[in-house]
Amino acid sequence: MEANTRSTGRLPAAFLTPGSSSFMDFLSDHQPELLPGKRTLPPVQGVIEAPHGTTIVAVTFPGGVVLAGDRRATMGNVIAQRDIEKVFPADEHSAVGIAGTAGLAVEMVKLFQLELEHFEKVEGAQLSLEGKANRLSTMIRSNLGMAMQGLAVVPLFAGYDLDRDKGRIFSYDVTGGRSEEHNFAATGSGSVFARGAMKKLFRDDLTEEEATTLVVQALYDAADDDSATGGPDVARRIYPIITVITDDGFRRLTEQEASELSRAVLQRRLEEPDGPRAALL
């Protein structure tokens, strides 16, 4: 199915045949071996050791949604990477954060980005946010075979719904089951601790700045109790990836902005080691 790059410049028939607006369907018909879930793994004994990423958090605020993740990847009891990227734009108004087997998760995100771009090119319009969430659910479900062998991917999907004029969050399980989360959500090994922090700090009237501070607070609490989650690392200048999605589109906070937020949270914790007792800021 590879494109012919010789002098004739002709494309294979697969590229010229009308079909589904789904890029996954296109691959399934013409080169199914390229899909992650279609690969056959060699027989192994026990759990496959591969880098895993956690923790991802999201919170809504009037006007949008914030999606953030820590930077640590672990392999068993070893820190495999300290500055892994776990949050990616899916398209102009949505993003996905990955938890689970890091390599497979990144590949799935790239395929998801292609899926949305392919649909837009074929149909001439963007999928609704609900439709994007459903497409991601289908991709996770197709990976169930690998998940049963220990290579699970459990992302968190967030975006700005242009039809409903608000930010929305969707969580998943390894079977592709999808649930819409209200106000805030977390996934990964530190999610229990992050969710507890967000439950205490969330308000309906958060500003964008307060929402970004809240996710850093949540990741700090997760790192405090979960060894697989990495907190802000001032010495190495490694800070959480923080993204904001509004009507204006996807925006990732700069390293300087993430640094200032993280340092403010760390300073607050020096003053109140058990966490903020009153207002968020």
Side-chain angles (χ1 to χ4, degrees), residues 123-139:
E123 299 293 337
Q126 285 190 352
L127 268 171
S128 66
L129 192 66
E130 196 94 19
K132 297 171 191 176
N134 289 338
R135 291 292 176 99
L136 184 56
S137 180
T138 300
M139 294 179 64

Side-chain angles (χ1 to χ4, degrees), residues 108 130 132-144 147 153-157 169-181 187:
M108 186 177 290
E130 196 94 19
K132 297 171 191 176
N134 289 338
R135 291 292 176 99
L136 184 56
S137 180
T138 300
M139 294 179 64
I140 298 169
R141 189 176 299 114
S142 69
N143 189 58
L144 183 58
V153 177
V154 188
L156 202 59
F157 177 65
I169 305 168
F170 298 90
S171 64
Y172 300 85
D173 59 36
V174 293
T175 67
R178 191 207 76 179
S179 300
E180 181 170 0
E181 305 286 348
T187 190

